[in-house]
Amino acid sequence: MTHSGPELRVEGLSKSFGPVRAVDDLSFTVRPGAVTGFLGPNGSGKTTTLRMLLGLTAPTAGRALVDGTPYAALRRPARVVGASLEAGFHPGRTGLGHLEVYAPQVGVSRQRCRDLLDLVGLTAAADRKVGGYSMGMRQRLALATTLLGDPPAVVLDEPANGLDPEGIVWLRGLLRAFAAEGRTVLVSSHVLGEVQHTVDDVVIIAGGRLAHASSLAALADLAVQETLAVSPDAARLAALCRERGWAVAPEGAGLLVSDVSAAELGAAAFAAGVELHQLTPRGTDLEQVFLRLTAPGRPAREPEAVVAR
Ligand SMILES: Nc1ncnc2c1ncn2[C@@H]1O[C@H](COP(=O)(O)OP(=O)(O)O)[C@@H](O)[C@H]1O
Ligand SMILES: [Mg+2]
């Protein structure tokens, strides 16, 4: 833990663009030493929130703090929070040339630029023009720019966009390593599955409002359990499930039973003398939880769904 990162905190943050309430009374905290996923559908206010956190957009109300200080008041911000928001690249510059433009602002050497290109796997493309980079290569270059000042906090807006599966695995390893070093890592995505294996904590927003904040494990606890059961007497099995109040749906040769564990269903079938040929617990489907939490029309902030940390 050599990089103990700052706590990021958003308090009653709101932003309106004319009639559009992009961010609406949003509060959450991001702890150091962990990767936090900032999740929500497209247009839910993620980028606007991150821009306010980084002092790029003025809030309509509320505030965003880095260890208690607004970003704009930090003495050397690039040394505290590295951020990549919609990376703007000059297409005529080389990858190395791009980093060398930022290096003096951050106060780092040209050698550091080369080291970072190496870290993000762009050494072979260092002298190629960014205009010819793939989307994934641009993401890697944006990450290198973010890391110039070796910041103890990293804020990344949809960094997995455009990365191929191998790139996503690589990014996961890098972010996990940052968190293990004690840094604060906040990473946004509109696809939970993309970051599901990367994050420790989740902050989920919908329509600019907080829908859920907890550890990933606590989010998984909200997932509906499902069990697939195959019986030669499917009609009796279905009747038994309905008696118990478990929803059933035919699937292949069997029945998909909701809200029940394989153990419970097996015990009920055994007690009723219903023969089973297959009993398969289904993994918890986090994407379904995410969709449920962010569904349009769902009342924002159901108290029981907001798990305090
Ligand atoms: N500069 C802007 N002017 C007007 N509306 C904006 C501006 N930036 C964002 N919005 C609106 O605010 C909402 C949230 O956008 P954004 O923060 O980009 O969401 P996300 O990053 O989650 O996709 C959207 O309705 C978007 O159209
Ligand atoms: Mg966005």
Side-chain angles (χ1 to χ4, degrees), residues 12-190:
L13 200 62
S14 297
K15 178 70 186 182
S16 296
F17 295 105
V20 178
R21 274 182 94 77
V23 176
D24 190 2
D25 194 18
L26 187 59
S27 301
F28 63 86
T29 61
V30 179
R31 64 186 168 107
V35 180
T36 299
F38 186 36
L39 305 164
N42 285 325
S44 56
K46 302 182 297 296
T47 298
T48 304
T49 301
L50 297 182
R51 287 181 61 84
M52 288 192 280
L53 182 62
L54 298 165
L56 298 169
T57 296
T60 308
R63 51 189 196 153
L65 303 169
V66 178
D67 258 350
T69 305
Y71 182 90
L74 294 174
R75 216 162 50 82
R76 301 170 76 196
R79 291 280 188 172
V80 181
V81 185
S84 82
L85 296 186
E86 75 245 1
F89 296 116
H90 191 300
R93 274 195 199 117
T94 64
L96 183 59
H98 170 82
L99 286 184
E100 285 177 348
V101 168
Y102 287 91
Q105 298 171 27
V106 184
V108 295
S109 67
R110 302 182 99 191
Q111 185 54 44
R112 171 105 186 122
C113 298
R114 292 197 175 272
D115 292 347
L116 277 168
L117 283 179
D118 209 35
L119 177 75
V120 301
L122 285 178
T123 295
D127 299 319
R128 277 171 51 193
K129 292 201 167 128
V130 175
Y133 275 20
S134 69
M135 176 91 170
M137 291 166 80
R138 285 162 192 250
Q139 285 284 20
R140 288 169 187 259
L141 183 58
L143 195 57
T145 315
T146 301
L147 300 178
L148 272 178
D150 196 23
V154 182
V155 174
L156 304 171
D157 198 12
E158 308 251 3
N161 262 1
L163 288 185
D164 55 20
E166 183 238 319
I168 289 182
V169 171
W170 166 79
L171 179 66
R172 177 181 307 154
L174 195 69
L175 299 183
R176 294 301 327 155
F178 286 163
E181 289 169 347
R183 297 184 214 240
T184 311
V185 183
L186 179 61
V187 50
S188 79
S189 177
H190 62 285

